[in-house]
Amino acid sequence: MRLVDTHAHIDELENIDSVLERAKKVGVSAIIAVGSNFNSDMRVLELSQKYRGLIYPAIGIHPLESETAPDSVIELIENKIDECVAVGEVGLDYRSEIDKSLQKKIFQKMLMFARKHSKPVSLHSRGAWEDVLSYMLDYGIVKGIFHWYSGPLEILKKILDSGYYVSATPAVEYSPKHREAIMETPIDALLLETDTPVKYRGIQSEPSHVSKVLTFVAKIKNIPASKLAEVTTENSRSLFGIDDGCGC
């Protein structure tokens, strides 16, 4: 089986060689490395060059970084976006104290880059699911992934009807809201991720843990893990335009 971790802050990890070896042992053939600020974006770009064909870069400004984002990161994204498979991690976070108008201003600029360069968008939407969807539609963004969705099912339906993807994280094992969303998402709109290095139940995640996500999701959906791996990997290849070496 081949697996894709579609959302990992790989730049925040140490001992990356060891991390990647463990990932490859469980079948991870591609990792979408998302950035969040200037240093993060630069590191993601560097790692994608060093581990070409395994790590694929996505750069952006995380909504929690909105207040400290210098003009230089905007310039970096504009200059380097063609080297990336997506714009991300970007979006809105209404459960933070970051000024909403500033978040929206930066998010809109990220969507402009995505539209101009025909890139999919990796979305953070905590507490702001409907507004994030509205902005995606308003800017005419065709491809997007709602990372770690745990919002209302009525908004999820609109997301799926709009042709966007939803990703499952290790939290699907124990989070009722996230599990409910994944249960309602058909596998042809589903992706797998770890959000590395987020801790789940006290354990720091890494890309190899995407195999655990596969197991959890296959169990709750009552489908073979091999089938889920095949479909979600093809979804990832289609969305991000990546070649994970499977020869398909």
Side-chain angles (χ1 to χ4, degrees):
M1 292 188 295
R2 291 182 179 271
L3 301 171
V4 179
D5 184 351
T6 60
H7 191 106
H9 297 272
I10 199 80
D11 59 290
E12 298 180 20
L13 296 178
E14 298 179 355
N15 303 316
I16 290 181
D17 284 335
S18 298
V19 168
L20 296 181
E21 282 304 312
R22 288 192 291 272
K24 287 188 284 187
K25 283 181 180 178
V26 300
V28 175
S29 58
I31 299 166
I32 308 302
V34 294
S36 56
N37 56 37
F38 183 86
N39 291 335
S40 174
D41 288 340
M42 284 293 293
R43 181 65 172 151
V44 161
L45 289 165
E46 291 169 3
L47 290 171
S48 69
Q49 290 297 313
K50 183 176 181 179
Y51 302 100
R52 187 181 293 274
L54 178 59
I55 293 179
Y56 295 84
I59 56 176
I61 301 172
H62 193 287
L64 299 185
E65 300 283 345
S66 298
E67 292 182 343
T68 56
D71 290 341
S72 58
V73 70
I74 301 289
E75 295 172 4
L76 173 68
I77 294 166
E78 187 169 23
N79 292 333
K80 296 291 187 178
I81 191 59
D82 283 332
E83 300 176 19
C84 300
V85 298
V87 174
E89 176 179 359
V90 301
L92 303 172
D93 191 320
Y94 287 174
R95 293 183 181 166
S96 73
E97 296 181 358
I98 305 297
D99 180 75
K100 289 182 182 179
S101 62
L102 181 56
Q103 289 189 50
K104 291 176 180 179
K105 180 180 178 181
I106 289 179
F107 183 38
Q108 288 174 288
K109 189 172 288 290
M110 297 297 102
L111 293 180
M112 288 173 61
F113 289 153
R115 182 175 62 190
K116 179 180 178 181
H117 296 268
S118 300
K119 297 292 181 179
V121 185
S122 185
L123 297 157
H124 180 106
S125 58
R126 190 172 64 159
W129 307 285
E130 192 160 28
D131 279 2
V132 168
L133 174 60
S134 293
Y135 276 117
M136 288 284 284
L137 296 174
D138 288 347
Y139 276 81
I141 306 299
V142 177
K143 295 184 177 182
I145 168 176
F146 279 74
H147 136 76
W148 197 341
Y149 186 86
S150 58
L153 293 183
E154 57 267 27
I155 300 176
L156 175 64
K157 184 179 186 306
K158 295 177 182 178
I159 288 170
L160 297 172
D161 287 346
S162 299
Y164 300 129
Y165 290 88
V166 172
S167 61
T169 76
V172 74
E173 181 186 14
Y174 58 85
S175 169
K177 285 289 188 181
H178 185 47
R179 179 183 294 215
E180 184 179 49
I182 298 307
M183 280 294 294
E184 292 296 320
T185 301
I187 62 173
D188 61 1
L190 187 64
L191 302 174
L192 308 178
E193 62 150 295
T194 62
D195 202 16
T196 294
V198 169
K199 289 184 177 181
Y200 300 91
R201 289 183 164 173
I203 300 175
Q204 179 175 295
S205 61
E206 59 178 62
S208 64
H209 296 169
V210 76
S211 63
K212 297 180 180 180
V213 183
L214 176 75
T215 300
F216 297 147
V217 175
K219 183 177 180 180
I220 65 174
K221 283 188 169 291
N222 194 29
I223 58 176
S226 57
K227 176 64 174 178
L228 183 62
E230 177 185 355
V231 173
T232 55
T233 295
E234 184 54 38
N235 291 345
S236 303
R237 288 166 54 83
S238 175
L239 175 62
F240 296 109
I242 61 174
D243 178 3
D244 67 349
C246 75
C248 301

